């Protein structure tokens, strides 16, 4: 094949890149090669030679830039513009139908709604950012809020386009998907590692995650990762500005309204991803009913075993984006999507002994100590037995052979017993009647499966309460960790959360491995935590069912601890997002005398139990106090998250939709329908510069 070249090096390079990009797309995405390997190699060499002669013409999206020349020294942490939410799991069709019932109760008039069923790929989630069609960043999922910038490694994945395959691409688009290691690549890598005397990878998922974090992108390229895209976020005005599929955060609450020129359903989004040049898993289907989802799930329970990659379930997403936005998110997951998992791998092993663990709430959890066994790529030596009733159901004897699996593929659990293999000398396990930590009598509250220690002075409960109180989302006390808490409680230095605020450096110095400087740092961190706001304090109290988000809602509605403590269950449950179970738990917590005493002691110590509703006398007035703002489009220098934070720090409130009550609409590039609505309603329009001027006042 001869190449028709341009009239100069710039034109020649551009033409070669286009030919190579089209050939790569056909080979790695469409699985339909258009060029023989030797022709591709020759064109690639021509491009290399031209770029070597004209290095100023090299661009990040050139096919020659897929593999970096120098290994990275480290990865940089990147905060996701929009969180990567995890999915709620269903482990059988009954749990799937229960999920369907939950979302239908939130939208009763909808009835049956179409959903898209997609195979759940067992790999590592990535967030890819393209600016003006060129890949500029690839970030790992991390904890969902912050990931690692692994752009150079992402570029080695041939099924990820360096440049989007469309003319006039949007100024910015973010694509989410799963990087995975095909089974043939996994086997080849482990063969190489075995020959080299290196430890083998346990499974393709671990191998993919480890590969993505390689500092040398050349190693990543050799391992031949693949990628399936499953969702995207487009700037406002391109028709897909609202969250598409697994995106959440601000976008889910009105980051933009989808127009007529872009995807309005998950199925359309998958098609659009293919148009952009991404590989989308072909094993997906629109399911008009729950029965169709069940058929898809059951059909792939066996078919998946013949696939060239690992899959552990089916992801089901409601197809209509408008319905997705209406249902929104819980604290951890979207309400409009669920992972319908296939049964986990199960293996037999022997119970050697049973121990019980006492948690922060006094819950007593029995744990089986097992003969170590390989399960889902890890060595398992302990498995949860859940509770007293579960042990009775299993008729568990020490020495029994049991079947173990990983619940949610994370926590090992005993699922059934094999009494026919029981040794003659096996002894029935007696569930304890007294707490192993404090010796108090254990109780099983009516209607609960959990057995509890109700002694608030129990060392296990105190340890759990202290660690929770000092955790990042609660009082965020730097330095409080498991080892110090165990010493404080075991030696009687601290008997409750309130005792923390009586600690002095002199009190701590006698402890093992405690120096004067460290003691002073701990005391300072504890004293500083008194300034944490009421919402964090409420979460730190550890009331059952009250997470950090629920604590924020309650603190906004009940600005003082006295107001919350006096509230009846119905009043608490009237707060949007707070259900009857949470309301009853909060109500009962404040009825316990020991808890009332704890609050009183913490108030005396100076902990904040009221919202700071008024500025300090010498504080500068907040320029946006009482104002409601809406953000639309892409701002020149501020991210959506940064702009929102600045507005809230200045006393303003950011909402997702424009109304007559909106004070200002802050407009950036590619603004969409919100701008038109603001103009129609006569709402004041601000640029980023206008906003910054207001904030500076």
């Amino acid at each position: 094949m001869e190449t028709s070249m341009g009239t100069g090096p710039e034109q020649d390079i551009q033409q070669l890149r286009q030919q190579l990009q089209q050939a790569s797309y056909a080979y790695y995405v469409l699985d339909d090669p258009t060029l023989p390997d030797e022709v591709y190699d020759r064109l690639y060499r021509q491009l290399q030679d031209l770029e070597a002669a004209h290095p100023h013409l090299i661009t990040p999206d050139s096919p020659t830039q897929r593999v970096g020349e120098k290994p990275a020294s480290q990865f940089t942490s990147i905060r996701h513009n929009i969180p990567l939410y995890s999915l709620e799991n269903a482990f059988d069709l009954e749990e799937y139908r229960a999920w369907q019932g939950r979302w239908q109760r939130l939208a009763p008039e909808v009835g049956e709604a179409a959903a898209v069923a997609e195979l759940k790929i067992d790999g590592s989630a990535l967030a890819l950012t393209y600016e003006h069609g060129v890949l500029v960043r690839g970030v790992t999922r991390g904890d969902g809020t912050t990931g690692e910038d692994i752009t150079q490694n992402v570029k080695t994945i041939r099924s990820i386009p360096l440049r989007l395959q469309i003319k006039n691409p949007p100024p910015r688009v973010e694509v989410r998907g799963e990087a995975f290691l095909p089974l043939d690549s996994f086997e080849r890598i482990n063969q190489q590692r075995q020959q080299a005397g290196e430890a083998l990878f346990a499974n393709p998922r671990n191998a993919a995650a480890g590969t993505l974090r390689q500092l040398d992108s050349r190693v990543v390229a050799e391992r031949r990762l693949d990628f399936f895209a499953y969702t995207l976020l487009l700037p406002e005005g391109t028709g897909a500005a609202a969250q598409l599929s697994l995106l959440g955060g601000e976008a889910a609450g009105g980051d933009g309204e989808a127009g007529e020129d872009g995807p309005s359903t998950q199925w359309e989004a998958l098609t659009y991803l293919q148009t952009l040049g991404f590989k989308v898993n072909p094993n997906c289907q629109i399911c008009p009913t729950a029965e169709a989802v069940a058929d898809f799930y059951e059909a792939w329970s066996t078919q998946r075993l013949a696939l060239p990659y690992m899959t552990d379930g089916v992801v089901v997403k409601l197809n209509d984006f408008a319905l997705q936005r209406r249902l929104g998110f819980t604290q951890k997951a979207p309400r409009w999507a669920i992972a319908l998992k296939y049964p986990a791998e199960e293996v037999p092993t022997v119970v050697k002994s049973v121990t019980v663990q006492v948690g922060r709430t006094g819950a007593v959890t029995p744990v089986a100590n097992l003969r170590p066994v390989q399960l889902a790529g890890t060595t398992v030596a302990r498995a949860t037995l859940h509770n007293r009733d579960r042990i009775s159901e299993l008729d568990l004897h020490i020495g029994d052979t049991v079947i173990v699996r990983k619940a949610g593929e994370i926590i090992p659990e005993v699922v059934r017993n094999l009494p026919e293999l029981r040794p003659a000398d096996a002894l029935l396990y007696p569930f304890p009647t007294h707490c192993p930590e404090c010796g108090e009598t254990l109780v099983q509250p009516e209607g609960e499966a959990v057995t509890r220690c109700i002694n608030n002075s129990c060392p296990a409960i105190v340890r759990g309460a202290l660690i929770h109180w000092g955790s990042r989302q609660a009082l965020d006390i730097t330095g409080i960790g498991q080892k110090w808490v165990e010493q404080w409680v075991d030696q009687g230095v601290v008997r409750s959360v309130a005792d923390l605020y009586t600690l002095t450096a002199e009190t701590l110095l006698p402890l093992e491995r405690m120096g004067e400087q460290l003691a002073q740092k701990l005391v300072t961190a504890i004293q500083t935590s008194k300034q944490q706001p009421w919402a964090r304090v409420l979460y730190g109290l550890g009331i059952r069912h009250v997470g950090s988000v629920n604590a924020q809602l309650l603190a906004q509605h009940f600005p003082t601890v006295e107001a919350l403590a006096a509230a009846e269950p119905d009043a608490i449950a009237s707060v949007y997002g707070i259900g009857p179970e949470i309301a009853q738990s909060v109500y009962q917590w404040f009825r316990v005398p020991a808890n009332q005493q704890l609050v009183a002691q913490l108030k005396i110590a100076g902990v904040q139990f009221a919202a700071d509703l008024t500025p300090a006398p010498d504080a500068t007035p907040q320029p946006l106090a009482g104002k409601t703002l809406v953000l639309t489009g892409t701002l020149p220098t501020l991210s959506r998250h940064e702009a929102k934070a600045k507005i809230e720090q200045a006393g303003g409130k950011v909402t997702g939709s424009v109304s007559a009550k909106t004070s200002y609409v802050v407009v950036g590039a590619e603004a969409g329908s919100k701008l038109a609505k603001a103009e129609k309603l006569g709402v004041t329009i601000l640029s980023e510069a206008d906003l910054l001027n207001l904030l500076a006042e």
Side-chain angles (χ1 to χ4, degrees):
M1 173 180 176
E2 292 298 325
T3 305
S4 174
M5 303 299 286
T7 59
E10 187 170 358
Q11 292 82 0
D12 292 344
I13 286 174
Q14 186 175 357
Q15 186 172 353
L16 282 167
R17 286 175 184 164
Q18 186 175 6
Q19 289 174 319
L20 291 169
Q21 287 164 353
Q22 290 173 347
S24 292
Y25 175 70
Y27 186 92
Y28 292 104
V29 178
L30 301 181
D31 196 21
D32 184 20
T34 58
L35 290 180
D37 289 348
E38 61 273 14
V39 175
Y40 182 94
D41 292 341
R42 180 162 55 82
L43 295 177
Y44 187 88
R45 178 60 61 85
Q46 289 180 25
L47 178 58
Q48 279 185 317
D49 292 343
L50 278 169
E51 288 184 342
H54 306 279
H56 64 286
L57 296 177
I58 298 175
T59 58
D61 62 316
S62 173
T64 63
Q65 302 304 298
R66 281 197 178 272
V67 182
E69 296 180 358
K70 296 181 180 179
S73 59
Q74 62 181 7
F75 295 123
T76 304
S77 293
I78 298 291
R79 187 175 182 86
H80 295 294
N81 289 327
I82 297 172
L84 277 78
Y85 280 77
S86 57
L87 289 178
E88 181 183 349
N89 289 324
F91 293 99
D92 53 41
L93 289 171
E94 183 178 349
E95 290 186 2
Y96 167 73
R97 293 186 177 98
W99 165 79
Q100 187 182 39
R102 288 195 295 275
W103 75 254
Q104 286 177 332
R105 284 193 289 274
L106 295 174
E109 77 287 355
V110 173
E112 194 80 74
V116 175
E118 308 166 43
L119 289 184
K120 184 178 182 296
I121 308 304
D122 203 12
S124 294
L126 295 178
L128 312 176
T129 300
Y130 290 80
E131 292 182 356
H132 302 289
V134 177
L135 176 65
V136 296
R137 181 175 292 169
V139 182
T140 63
R141 181 185 187 277
D143 62 4
T145 300
T146 303
E148 291 181 312
D149 187 342
I150 57 166
T151 306
Q152 196 60 43
N153 289 348
V154 165
K155 287 183 176 182
T156 70
I157 304 175
R158 299 281 179 167
S159 50
I160 292 178
L162 299 180
R163 175 178 286 277
L164 300 178
Q165 302 291 310
I166 59 171
K167 295 181 179 179
N168 302 318
R172 184 182 178 91
V173 59
E174 188 166 320
V175 173
R176 302 276 171 89
E178 201 83 3
F180 63 95
L181 198 62
L183 292 176
D184 57 353
S185 296
F186 173 69
E187 293 169 2
R188 173 179 54 80
I189 293 167
N190 264 353
Q191 287 175 1
Q192 293 171 348
R193 294 177 72 86
Q194 187 173 31
Q195 293 169 2
E198 298 175 339
L200 303 185
F201 284 120
N203 52 52
R205 177 177 54 188
N206 289 355
T211 298
L212 287 170
R213 299 195 74 256
Q214 282 282 330
L215 294 175
D216 190 344
S217 62
R218 290 170 292 191
V219 175
V220 184
E222 291 170 359
R223 292 185 179 175
R224 303 174 194 171
L225 289 168
D226 208 340
F227 181 80
F228 283 131
Y230 52 64
T231 187
L232 75 159
L233 179 74
L234 292 168
E236 198 167 353
T238 58
Q243 51 82 22
L244 305 181
S245 187
L246 292 180
L247 300 185
E250 298 168 17
D255 189 37
E257 299 173 7
E260 299 177 355
D261 57 337
S264 60
T265 67
Q266 170 64 12
W267 192 257
E268 290 175 5
L270 293 176
T271 302
Y272 187 69
L273 283 166
Q274 290 175 301
T275 302
L276 295 178
F278 288 93
K279 181 189 288 188
V280 171
N281 193 299
N283 303 309
C284 56
Q285 176 180 311
I286 294 183
C287 300
T289 63
E291 287 70 26
V293 170
D295 291 343
F296 182 91
Y297 172 76
E298 291 173 345
W300 279 102
S301 64
T302 53
Q303 292 181 42
R304 68 191 177 98
L305 302 177
L307 291 170
Y309 47 81
M310 296 291 291
T311 178
D312 57 354
V314 172
V315 174
V316 183
K317 306 169 189 171
L318 296 180
N319 192 37
D320 183 12
F321 287 156
L323 180 56
Q324 288 185 13
R325 290 193 296 275
R326 177 179 171 186
L327 295 176
F329 293 75
T330 66
Q331 184 175 344
K332 296 181 179 179
R335 292 189 177 94
W336 40 264
I338 194 166
L340 182 50
K341 307 292 282 292
Y342 289 113
E345 177 187 350
E346 299 179 348
V347 296
T349 188
V350 174
V351 176
K352 298 168 65 177
S353 63
V354 176
T355 55
V356 294
Q357 299 173 341
V358 183
R360 171 174 63 85
T361 63
V364 176
T365 304
V367 177
N369 300 306
L370 310 168
R371 185 174 65 197
V373 63
Q374 283 290 311
L375 176 62
T378 59
T379 300
V380 171
R382 292 160 62 83
T384 181
L385 292 161
H386 295 295
N387 52 55
R388 184 205 304 262
D389 295 342
R390 182 60 178 147
I391 288 180
S392 297
E393 291 172 6
L394 291 168
D395 184 30
L396 190 71
H397 289 58
I398 306 302
D400 276 352
T401 297
V402 295
I403 301 299
V404 181
R405 74 178 178 195
K406 285 191 176 181
E409 299 190 349
I410 298 174
I411 304 171
E413 65 176 348
V414 175
V415 292
R416 60 182 181 277
N417 196 0
L418 302 176
E420 61 271 20
L421 301 180
R422 179 176 295 155
D425 59 349
L427 297 176
L428 180 68
Y429 172 72
F431 195 90
T433 57
H434 292 75
C435 176
E437 292 275 355
C438 68
E440 291 292 327
T441 302
L442 298 176
V443 300
Q444 185 172 354
E446 185 177 353
E448 291 190 20
V450 177
T451 301
R452 296 185 184 277
C453 173
I454 56 174
N455 173 21
N456 285 334
S457 299
C458 173
I461 295 176
V462 174
R463 286 195 297 267
L466 289 170
I467 291 171
H468 178 73
W469 180 263
S471 64
R472 183 174 299 180
Q473 290 183 299
L475 279 291
D476 194 16
I477 304 175
T478 304
I480 286 193
Q482 186 78 31
K483 67 174 184 176
W484 295 125
V485 167
E486 287 179 355
Q487 279 199 63
W488 296 345
V489 175
D490 293 346
Q491 297 188 28
V493 176
V494 175
R495 293 183 173 84
S496 75
V497 167
D499 286 347
L500 282 175
Y501 297 94
T502 66
L503 290 176
T504 63
E506 291 72 22
T507 309
L508 297 177
L509 276 174
L511 299 177
E512 183 182 353
R513 296 185 180 181
M514 179 66 72
E516 186 173 342
Q517 187 176 9
L518 178 57
Q520 190 56 56
K521 281 186 176 180
L522 283 169
V523 170
T524 300
I526 292 169
Q527 294 301 317
T528 301
S529 73
K530 294 178 183 180
Q531 305 307 314
Q532 293 287 10
W534 161 222
R536 282 177 172 264
V537 173
L538 177 56
Y539 173 66
L541 292 174
I543 302 173
R544 289 182 66 197
H545 308 306
V546 177
S548 58
V549 173
N550 294 331
Q552 289 275 1
L553 295 173
L554 289 169
Q556 290 170 8
H557 197 83
F558 300 97
T560 66
V561 68
E562 290 81 7
L564 183 58
E568 295 294 322
D570 288 347
I572 300 172
S574 68
V575 178
Y576 180 78
I578 304 296
E581 185 178 19
I582 298 173
Q584 191 63 37
S585 178
V586 172
Y587 177 79
Q588 291 295 343
W589 192 91
F590 281 105
R591 309 276 86 72
V592 176
N595 295 335
Q596 296 170 2
Q597 183 180 3
L598 174 63
V599 171
Q601 291 172 335
L602 289 170
K603 287 181 70 176
I604 292 172
V607 175
Q608 301 296 313
F609 279 94
D612 186 8
L613 301 178
T614 57
D618 59 346
T620 302
Q622 294 183 301
L624 296 180
K627 303 294 185 182
T628 300
L629 290 84
V630 173
L631 301 170
T632 182
T634 304
L635 301 180
T637 65
L638 297 175
S639 69
R640 184 67 60 93
H641 178 80
E642 290 168 339
K644 182 180 179 185
K646 286 180 178 293
I647 290 168
E648 291 176 344
Q649 288 168 6
K653 177 182 178 183
V654 177
T655 63
S657 57
V658 179
S659 71
K661 296 181 179 180
T662 302
S663 308
Y664 304 110
V665 173
V666 183
V667 176
E670 305 294 331
S673 56
K674 291 180 184 177
L675 173 58
K677 188 171 183 180
E679 291 172 338
K680 181 179 179 181
L681 293 173
V683 176
T684 302
I685 308 297
L686 300 179
S687 65
E688 181 187 283
D690 296 331
L691 173 64
L692 294 175
N693 287 335
L694 271 179
L695 295 173
E697 290 179 0

